């Protein structure tokens, strides 16, 4: 096993590719957990605010809409829409990074694989058997596997956070609609 890892890391391009994908994977998990817990907390506050609005008819200080309408001279649908768009922009921050990682990491892995296969073929002597070239090709394919391993959570996390953002915006729109209907 260690011999296989040393072969993979013997090519400087593979070191760069696997390092890059490792950094991607770290930040994918960091962004996901940071955004997930932040959006969950924000969603909970907006849900409590919607419940309070339904009971008392007033937007509570928990709502992000409260601060926005307090600073505006007129309270109308356009004011609320601007506040909701600002909240949407804030909620969606970080999602672009996840989509970039999900779409680029397989290509980065594929690049490492291509370089590894080129290296394997260039090291062939005049008489080569499949037993001699297969391990080098197998080692080269590790980069593609790692690229896919990084892409799957990035894509999944992007989808989860997009849904949480949509749910949050729906709560804000419900608050807006109820507040303006009274």
């Amino acid at each position: 096993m260690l011999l296989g890892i040393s072969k993979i890391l013997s090519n400087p391009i593979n070191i760069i590719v696997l390092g890059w994908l490792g950094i991607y994977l770290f930040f994918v998990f960091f962004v996901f957990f940071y955004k997930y817990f932040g959006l969950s907390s924000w969603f909970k506050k907006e849900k409590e605010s919607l419940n309070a609005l339904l009971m008392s008819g007033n937007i509570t200080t928990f709502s992000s809409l409260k601060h926005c309408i307090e600073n505006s001279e007129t309270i109308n649908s356009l004011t609320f829409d601007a506040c909701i768009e600002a909240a949407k922009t804030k909620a969606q921050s970080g999602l672009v990074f996840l989509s970039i990682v999900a779409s680029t990491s397989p290509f980065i892995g594929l690049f490492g694989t291509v370089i590894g296969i080129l290296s394997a073929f260039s090291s062939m002597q005049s008489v080569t058997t499949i037993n001699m070239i297969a391990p080098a090709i197998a080692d080269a394919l590790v980069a593609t596997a790692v690229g896919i391993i990084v892409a799957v959570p990035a894509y999944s996390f992007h989808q989860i956070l997009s849904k949480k953002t949509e749910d949050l915006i729906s709560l804000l729109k419900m608050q807006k609609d109820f507040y303006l209907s009274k």
Side-chain angles (χ1 to χ4, degrees):
M1 180 67 182
L2 285 174
L3 184 61
I5 292 173
S6 66
K7 284 182 184 179
I8 294 169
L9 297 179
S10 65
N11 186 344
I13 297 296
N14 276 351
I15 293 171
I16 292 168
V17 165
L18 294 176
W20 190 343
L21 291 172
I23 291 168
Y24 262 9
L25 190 61
F26 172 79
F27 281 108
V28 161
F29 278 91
F30 177 79
V31 167
F32 173 71
F33 286 115
Y34 179 79
K35 290 299 293 182
Y36 184 82
F37 290 119
L39 287 172
S40 294
S41 172
W42 189 0
F43 183 84
K44 183 180 176 186
K45 289 177 185 176
E46 295 300 341
K47 193 169 185 176
E48 290 172 3
S49 181
L50 177 62
N51 288 336
L53 179 63
L54 294 172
M55 299 299 283
S56 69
N58 294 320
I59 294 178
T60 66
T61 57
F62 297 128
S63 178
S64 57
L65 296 179
K66 179 72 171 181
H67 176 71
C68 190
I69 63 173
E70 283 179 343
N71 294 333
S72 116
E73 295 175 14
T74 59
I75 301 172
N76 57 26
S77 182
L78 294 174
T79 304
F80 275 109
D81 288 343
C83 295
I84 291 170
E85 281 302 312
K88 185 177 179 181
T89 300
K90 181 179 176 186
Q92 289 178 336
S93 68
L95 294 183
V96 171
F97 172 75
L98 293 176
S99 66
I100 289 171
V101 170
S103 63
T104 60
S105 59
F107 294 112
I108 294 168
L110 184 60
F111 174 72
T113 296
V114 168
I115 296 298
I117 289 174
L118 288 173
S119 175
F121 284 137
S122 70
S123 67
M124 288 182 3
Q125 289 102 17
S126 59
V127 178
T128 305
T129 65
I130 192 70
N131 292 339
M132 297 170 77
I133 197 69
I137 292 174
D139 290 341
L141 290 172
V142 169
T144 297
V146 172
I148 293 169
I149 287 170
V150 172
V152 170
Y155 180 76
S156 301
F157 294 165
H158 179 272
Q159 295 301 316
I160 291 167
L161 293 176
S162 292
K163 178 64 175 137
K164 280 199 106 34
T165 299
E166 286 177 26
D167 293 345
L168 176 68
I169 299 306
S170 293
L171 272 177
L172 293 172
K173 287 180 180 178
M174 283 189 269
Q175 288 182 57
K176 168 196 139 184
D177 292 342
F178 187 81
Y179 187 83
L180 293 176
S181 70
K182 60 178 187 150

